[in-house]
Amino acid sequence: MNRKAAMKLFGLLGLLMLLSCGYADRHRNNSSCEQVLVDSLAVRVQDSLFANVHYSRSQVLDALTQVQDSQVYYRLLALYGKTFFVSSDFDSILYYNRRVKEFSRNASQSPESLQSPQWNDVLSDVYNVEGNVWMQLNRPDSAITDYKKAYEYRLKGKKLHLLPDICINIADAYLHRSDLAHTASYYRHALFLCDSLNLSEHAKFPVYYGLGQTYMELRDFDLSNHYYELAGQYFNEMNVGERWTYLNNRGNHYYYRKDYQEALKYMRRANVLVSSYPQMVFEQNFIKVNLGELYLLTDKLDSAQACLDESYRFFSGIQHNSAVHYIETQMIELALKKGNIAQAETMIARTAPVGHLDANMLTIRNQYLQHYFEQIGDYRHAYEYLKRDRHLDDSIRSERVQMRVAELDMRYRQDTIVLRKEMQIQRQAGEMRVLKLSVFIGVLICVLLVAVLVWYMRKKREFLRQRFFQQINRVRMENLRSRISPHFTFNVLGREINQFNGSEEVKHNLMELVKYLRRSLELTEKLSVSLQDELDFVRTYIELERGRVGEDFVATVTVEDGLDATRIMIPSMIVQIPVENAIKHGLAGKDGKKELSVYVSRETNGIRMTITDNGRGYLPQVASATRGTGTGLKVLYQTIQLLNTKNKNDTIHFDITNRSDGQTGTQVSVYIPFRFSYDL
């Protein structure tokens, strides 16, 4: 795309943004508009986070380079840090969150804006994500501290519907500490919030499978199964992370019931699920630990070895000591079952308790150490570990009984509080009936005042409407004057070229250039054009650039049979910009044969356009003088985002990658649904 065309399309997007924000108080409305765009971006990032984390991250980076308001910038920075959670890059999350918190503490400008509900929501997100990081690193105490801060900030924010999610996180952290009374309390508080905020039943399923896990720890398998069945009704509505959690917890339910075959079924489903998402590396290795233990218990020793070795390498690399300790415990029993006493001795010598260890993990380790000493004939130590195991088992049973009593007591106290609140509500309802009469009189007076106000506002609105139409007429005249000049220029150029007496080839190229400039002006004035018009424009551009690229340049433009290019509408310049980038940044100056292909084919309910070259390849992180400013692609991305917000069910997908067929070069893939609407 030439600079003039790019500026026109950028201007159109700017006009749309201006109209959405209003004309009055320009600085304040620009900031408000940026806040709206951040909200929209956050929704899109959340939707595409698991499918394409790198694309989501690039969207936030692009937005960071464009915002001017510092509060909006740090809000985007918090969103950018959140994208690293999917790829388990915890250091990056903590780094970006620390910058946001430092800004909140140190910012001296507009302190009242940093106490606004919107900013409290940002800080709540920051502390909630940090709590998730501490949970992944096996630090539940730190997680609880951050989750409770997130809850306090959320109470002062606008997104109250997220309060149950934070309660669920706090409950999960207490569950990790084996504090089941507080676990059940926070899960039930989450249910209470769902009902108080009138949230849908869909919002409750994480609470259901959390309660299922709680009662599983209490070994109340009937009640545990009841809550898992409630959660399972919403399985098809869960996102990938929620599905993984449900399948893993359901597998644990059957594991503790010693139904290992049923547990394997759920763990395998969880493994298949996350295998389709390369960025979910933490979850992939976590489920392999569980699979390794189940394979060990069912005597599938080779499968157990493969799963435990792979997960051991990952958790050792990120220094997750609790997971490493658990895997090494399983490897002791695996070595014993294989008859490798020396390997078992190595794992026992290497393993040392670190941090918080679950009582179930200690029980399993005592059992495996007992097996080890039995095999080497040291029955005195074997008996010692048997006694430890029985003592720990008695302690766990006693603790579970105490936890069950505490959980029932806490539930009773909560029910009592609710009953008192209901009595207070009834008392207040009686007082409200007394106030109704006085309210009725006040309303009657207000109606009279409103009638007068409506008459005044109608007069004022009529005046503003007249002034608005005057502004529209003035803009139309300015737009007409801006169009007359380019078209007049093209007409004069065409007439002069027809009278040109030089080489026919030069004359032909000049005529093609005029045609290209005229079509460029026409296409950039539209949001959508027919596929035929776009491809004709591309062919003209390729012919004009053929001499610049060289003699070994081969370009093909192909449309699959059965597609009517005159009836299919696409965004303007969506093919031209990738073709121009391929020639300018990939093929120009390249030695040897240079190839460029544009292929349009049918795909399900839309078309797939593929632009492929054999140039230098796609290196977005490398900046050089030959790569340009990226303005064309940036405007194209913004246009697609704008159109996709109006087509939430059928969206355009635009991807740039290096070729995957073993050759050097770039491939741009664009999917456009047939029913895509360009009516803004």
Side-chain angles (χ1 to χ4, degrees):
M1 176 186 282
N2 59 38
R3 184 179 182 84
K4 187 173 182 181
M7 290 302 294
K8 287 202 171 190
L9 186 53
F10 187 82
L12 174 61
L13 293 172
L15 179 61
L16 290 172
M17 291 169 60
L18 186 61
L19 289 173
S20 69
C21 295
Y23 290 98
D25 195 353
R26 182 175 182 180
H27 175 73
R28 185 190 67 214
N29 283 357
N30 281 344
S31 176
S32 175
C33 183
E34 286 178 344
Q35 293 279 2
V36 172
L37 290 175
V38 171
D39 289 336
S40 175
L41 178 62
V43 173
R44 295 198 304 276
V45 167
Q46 185 68 28
D47 291 342
S48 62
L49 198 55
F50 288 100
N52 192 341
V53 65
H54 297 295
Y55 173 76
S56 299
R57 203 170 288 159
S58 68
Q59 295 296 295
V60 183
L61 274 178
D62 286 344
L64 279 168
T65 62
Q66 298 177 32
V67 297
Q68 298 177 351
D69 184 81
S70 57
Q71 185 175 335
V72 175
Y73 176 86
Y74 281 96
R75 185 180 174 192
L76 281 170
L77 200 65
L79 179 62
Y80 183 66
K82 188 187 295 186
T83 64
F84 288 94
F85 191 82
V86 177
S87 54
S88 301
D89 187 352
F90 302 139
D91 289 338
S92 295
I93 298 172
L94 297 176
Y95 168 74
Y96 289 113
N97 281 1
R98 185 164 60 251
R99 289 183 58 187
V100 175
K101 290 189 288 186
E102 287 175 354
F103 165 75
S104 184
R105 286 194 299 266
N106 301 332
S108 57
Q109 67 278 16
S110 303
E112 66 280 356
S113 67
L114 295 180
Q115 300 173 3
S116 66
Q118 292 88 345
W119 186 249
N120 283 314
D121 283 327
V122 173
L123 291 177
S124 179
D125 287 337
V126 166
Y127 281 105
N128 190 58
V129 170
E130 276 197 15
N132 293 338
V133 170
W134 299 134
M135 284 297 293
Q136 296 282 35
L137 296 177
N138 194 37
R139 293 172 58 181
D141 292 332
S142 299
I144 290 171
T145 300
D146 278 345
Y147 285 146
K148 288 185 176 180
K149 287 181 181 179
Y151 187 86
E152 293 172 3
Y153 281 115
R154 189 68 74 194
L155 282 174
K156 296 182 286 186
K158 282 190 171 183
K159 299 179 181 179
L160 298 179
H161 64 281
L162 297 178
L163 282 170
D165 294 336
I166 302 177
C167 285
I168 292 170
N169 289 343
I170 298 174
D172 289 342
Y174 276 118
L175 180 64
H176 197 72
R177 288 179 51 186
S178 301
D179 187 345
L180 302 182
H182 280 93
T183 299
S185 172
Y186 275 100
Y187 277 134
R188 295 190 180 281
H189 188 61
L191 284 177
F192 172 76
L193 287 171
C194 289
D195 292 334
S196 301
L197 297 170
N198 294 320
L199 301 182
S200 67
E201 288 295 316
H202 175 272
K204 297 180 181 179
F205 68 76
V207 184
Y208 292 147
Y209 62 58
L211 285 170
Q213 186 175 4
T214 303
Y215 287 106
M216 176 192 71
E217 293 289 339
L218 289 168
R219 299 303 187 262
D220 187 341
F221 292 116
D222 291 336
L223 196 53
S224 172
N225 188 67
H226 167 72
Y227 282 113
Y228 277 128
E229 290 293 332
L230 288 177
Q233 297 175 10
Y234 303 95
F235 185 80
N236 292 331
E237 301 176 34
M238 300 178 189
N239 63 36
V240 61
E242 292 164 343
R243 290 185 182 185
W244 179 87
T245 302
Y246 171 79
L247 293 172
N248 180 70
N249 290 359
R250 196 71 160 120
N252 285 334
H253 170 85
Y254 287 105
Y255 165 81
Y256 284 112
R257 295 182 70 165
K258 300 188 184 302
D259 187 349
Y260 300 133
Q261 294 300 329
E262 195 68 19
L264 266 174
K265 184 175 73 173
Y266 281 98
M267 293 300 181
R268 283 168 176 161
R269 285 179 61 189
N271 186 44
V272 170
L273 175 69
V274 295
S275 296
S276 303
Y277 298 88
Q279 65 272 26
M280 298 182 69
V281 61
F282 186 94
E283 291 80 359
Q284 290 170 4
N285 285 278
F286 188 92
I287 207 68
K288 282 184 173 61
V289 178
N290 291 339
L291 281 171
E293 182 176 7
L294 288 169
Y295 285 137
L296 179 63
L297 291 169
T298 54
D299 293 325
K300 298 180 177 64
L301 303 186
D302 290 338
S303 298
Q305 186 78 61
C307 289
L308 293 175
D309 285 346
E310 186 173 346
S311 57
Y312 187 71
R313 285 192 295 270
F314 172 76
F315 286 112
S316 298
I318 66 172
Q319 298 181 347
H320 195 301
N321 295 331
S322 177
V324 169
H325 180 89
Y326 190 68
I327 296 169
E328 290 174 341
T329 298
Q330 299 301 321
M331 286 181 170
I332 294 172
E333 181 71 1
L334 179 61
L336 292 175
K337 285 195 173 186
K338 287 187 172 185
N340 192 342
I341 302 296
Q343 178 66 22
E345 290 177 349
T346 301
M347 300 311 298
I348 292 171
R350 181 187 305 175
T351 308
V354 286
H356 173 80
L357 288 177
D358 183 76
N360 294 313
M361 187 184 300
L362 291 173
T363 300
I364 293 170
R365 184 170 179 82
N366 288 337
Q367 291 173 358
Y368 291 167
L369 289 173
Q370 177 190 339
H371 296 167
Y372 165 75
F373 285 112
E374 286 174 351
Q375 288 202 21
I376 66 173
D378 188 346
Y379 296 107
R380 185 174 64 83
H381 279 94
Y383 179 66
E384 179 67 27
Y385 278 102
L386 176 61
K387 287 197 300 182
R388 288 187 189 181
D389 187 42
R390 288 181 177 176
H391 176 73
L392 184 60
D393 188 53
D394 291 340
S395 299
I396 292 173
R397 281 191 193 141
S398 174
E399 184 178 348
R400 283 184 184 138
V401 171
Q402 294 175 12
M403 288 290 186
R404 188 64 187 272
V405 172
E407 190 269 334
L408 291 172
D409 178 63
M410 198 168 288
R411 190 195 307 183
Y412 169 76
R413 280 185 285 155
Q414 287 180 339
D415 292 341
T416 304
I417 292 172
V418 171
L419 181 61
R420 289 175 181 171
K421 287 184 177 179
E422 289 178 351
M423 294 175 62
Q424 185 178 2
I425 290 172
Q426 290 178 355
R427 192 163 53 248
Q428 291 175 344
E431 296 173 357
M432 287 297 296
R433 284 193 293 270
V434 175
L435 292 174
K436 280 185 178 180
L437 182 60
S438 58
V439 170
F440 175 77
I441 297 173
V443 168
L444 184 61
I445 296 173
C446 289
V447 167
L448 295 176
L449 293 174
V450 168
V452 175
L453 183 61
V454 167
W455 175 83
Y456 170 76
M457 292 300 295
R458 185 177 298 170
K459 289 290 185 181
K460 185 176 180 180
R461 188 164 55 249
E462 181 64 24
F463 167 75
L464 293 175
R465 190 173 69 88
Q466 292 293 334
R467 189 172 68 178
F468 178 69
F469 279 119
Q470 292 173 2
Q471 291 174 343
I472 289 177
N473 288 332
R474 185 170 67 252
V475 170
R476 284 176 176 171
M477 291 301 296
E478 292 175 354
N479 187 34
L480 180 60
R481 284 194 295 269
S482 69
R483 290 187 180 187
I484 289 173
S485 178
H487 284 293
F488 174 75
T489 302
F490 295 148
N491 290 335
V492 172
L493 282 173
R495 185 168 61 250
E496 293 298 323
I497 291 170
N498 283 328
Q499 298 175 5
F500 179 66
N501 296 324
S503 165
E504 286 297 324
E505 181 181 356
V506 174
K507 181 176 180 179
H508 173 75
N509 288 338
L510 289 174
M511 288 300 292
E512 287 296 308
L513 177 60
V514 172
K515 176 184 174 183
Y516 174 78
L517 292 174
R518 186 186 298 275
R519 292 296 292 155
S520 174
L521 178 65
E522 293 171 354
L523 293 179
T524 52
E525 290 174 347
K526 304 175 181 178
L527 268 179
S528 64
V529 296
S530 71
L531 176 61
Q532 184 67 48
D533 286 344
E534 179 75 4
L535 294 182
D536 287 344
F537 184 51
V538 168
R539 290 187 184 99
T540 301
Y541 173 76
I542 290 173
E543 290 305 315
L544 287 172
E545 288 288 76
R546 187 175 294 278
R548 173 188 176 187
V549 180
E551 296 179 356
D552 294 333
F553 178 46
V554 177
T556 59
V557 179
T558 308
V559 179
E560 186 181 87
D561 292 341
L563 289 177
D564 187 354
T566 62
R567 297 172 62 87
I568 298 172
M569 301 302 292
I570 63 174
S572 175
M573 310 300 285
I574 200 166
V575 180
Q576 164 63 18
I577 291 174
V579 167
E580 184 174 342
N581 285 341
I583 292 176
K584 290 170 64 178
H585 307 312
L587 299 176
K590 178 182 180 294
D591 295 330
K593 189 174 182 179
K594 297 170 275 290
E595 297 177 347
L596 172 66
S597 72
V598 179
Y599 183 70
V600 184
S601 60
R602 181 188 298 272
E603 182 175 309
T604 58
N605 296 320
I607 61 169
R608 173 73 62 182
M609 299 186 296
T610 307
I611 301 98
T612 308
D613 66 71
N614 67 337
R616 300 176 181 85
Y618 180 56
L619 299 171
Q621 72 275 19
V622 178
S624 68
T626 63
R627 299 196 66 83
T629 63
T631 302
L633 279 178
K634 188 177 297 183
V635 172
L636 191 56
Y637 277 132
Q638 292 172 340
T639 305
I640 292 172
Q641 292 171 14
L642 178 67
L643 292 170
N644 280 345
T645 57
K646 298 295 182 180
N647 296 267
K648 295 183 178 179
N649 296 326
D650 299 303
T651 58
I652 293 175
H653 299 280
F654 186 95
D655 296 299
I656 305 178
T657 61
N658 285 303
R659 291 177 63 167
S660 59
D661 55 1
Q663 297 189 43
T664 303
T666 303
Q667 179 173 292
V668 178
S669 178
V670 186
Y671 171 76
I672 303 176
F674 285 130
R675 297 193 304 173
F676 198 80
S677 172
Y678 299 92
D679 183 11
L680 296 179

